[in-house]
Amino acid sequence: SRGHSRISWHPQGNLLSVCNTDCWYVLNREDWTVKHRQAISRGGAAIAYSPDGSQIALTDGEAVTIWDSASATKLAELNGHRVPVDSVSWSPEGRRLVTTGGREIKLWDLDWHKQPPRIETNTAIRSLAWLVDNKTLVSVAQEDGSNSFWHASDGSLKKRDDAVVKAPLCFSPDRRLAAVAGDKQREVSILNASTGATHAVLPLRPNHSLISFAFSTDGSRAIIQTVVDQILQLDFWDVDGERRLSSWTGARKYKMDR
């Protein structure tokens, strides 16, 4: 796993959007019923609900598509990246998107309908997210795990610093916790993002390969996405209690990609 998230929680916590390399779908988290399934033509690497849950942003090769979450109607397609898009994150007010692909960042104003400028970084980006101040973006470098903080207004660099937690899969929404793949990907360790201290350890199922990880909106629950024999598995966890609560096994074959 490279740090981009193939899972997104609906803000109300009852639905999950999940992307595969050839489809994306919406699941009811309580009973695991599939509410919607849609093909992807160029391969999905990341998916994200808007802050109010009304829209879903999905990477599809070098493009990002935006969908109405209730009707699964395609609303827009954003093109302009030169390489496949790895990460997508909504601004807190839900009118802007930040996307990354390789060493490239694009900041989209969804009301502007124009091609945004391209921001080039010195290293490939592992993940990128919008901070709750609505003014700052933070990226994690693929190579050394360092953090870069960017002005959301113009894409200029504010500062860089070394990360306490190296190569995180993702952070909890409040950035208090960080999820990290453990030794030989046998577990996911949940660490205090400020100190690096272990908060919880969530073991993977035997012979399963880790694909993605996502915290719930309050950070108390998590979904671990794995694959075995090309079959997707989603495990729902109580993070603080280190307990697996329920699971879903997909019927579709999973195609391993880059």
Side-chain angles (χ1 to χ4, degrees), residues 4-7 17-26 36-48 56-67 72 74 77 84-85 88 225 232 252-255 257-258:
H4 44 266
S5 184
R6 298 179 188 269
I7 314 165
S17 58
V18 182
C19 68
N20 193 345
T21 50
D22 60 357
C23 71
W24 66 274
Y25 39 96
V26 175
H36 176 76
R37 182 182 282 120
Q38 180 84 27
I40 300 172
S41 59
R42 290 166 285 186
I47 195 167
I56 294 171
L58 170 72
T59 68
D60 190 0
E62 293 79 17
V64 176
T65 54
I66 300 175
W67 301 77
K74 185 176 176 179
E77 181 171 319
V85 184
V88 58
Q225 184 181 18
L232 277 178
R252 294 181 65 87
K253 294 289 185 179
Y254 181 86
K255 298 178 182 177
D257 64 352
R258 62 184 186 282

Side-chain angles (χ1 to χ4, degrees), residues 140-245:
V140 178
Q142 179 72 22
E143 183 176 346
D144 60 7
S146 61
N147 295 320
S148 295
F149 295 83
W150 310 82
H151 291 280
S153 58
D154 59 8
S156 61
L157 181 66
K158 295 175 69 173
K159 66 174 183 176
R160 286 194 179 94
D161 62 31
D162 293 332
V164 174
V165 177
K166 301 295 185 182
L169 296 167
C170 68
F171 291 92
S172 58
D174 61 5
R175 299 191 71 81
R176 182 177 61 89
L177 299 174
V180 177
D183 181 47
K184 298 181 180 180
Q185 293 198 346
R186 293 173 179 168
E187 71 276 330
V188 174
S189 296
I190 310 302
L191 307 180
N192 183 300
S194 298
T195 66
T198 300
H199 177 79
V201 176
L202 313 180
L204 300 187
R205 295 176 181 272
N207 303 316
H208 280 235
S209 298
L210 179 63
I211 300 300
S212 190
F213 182 99
F215 285 101
S216 62
T217 52
D218 64 2
S220 67
R221 301 287 189 268
I223 295 289
I224 298 179
Q225 184 181 18
T226 60
V227 64
V228 63
D229 296 330
Q230 295 186 302
I231 301 296
L232 277 178
Q233 177 89 35
L234 299 179
D235 287 317
F236 177 46
W237 282 85
D238 171 358
V239 173
D240 296 338
E242 299 177 301
R243 293 184 301 122
R244 185 185 286 113
L245 301 175

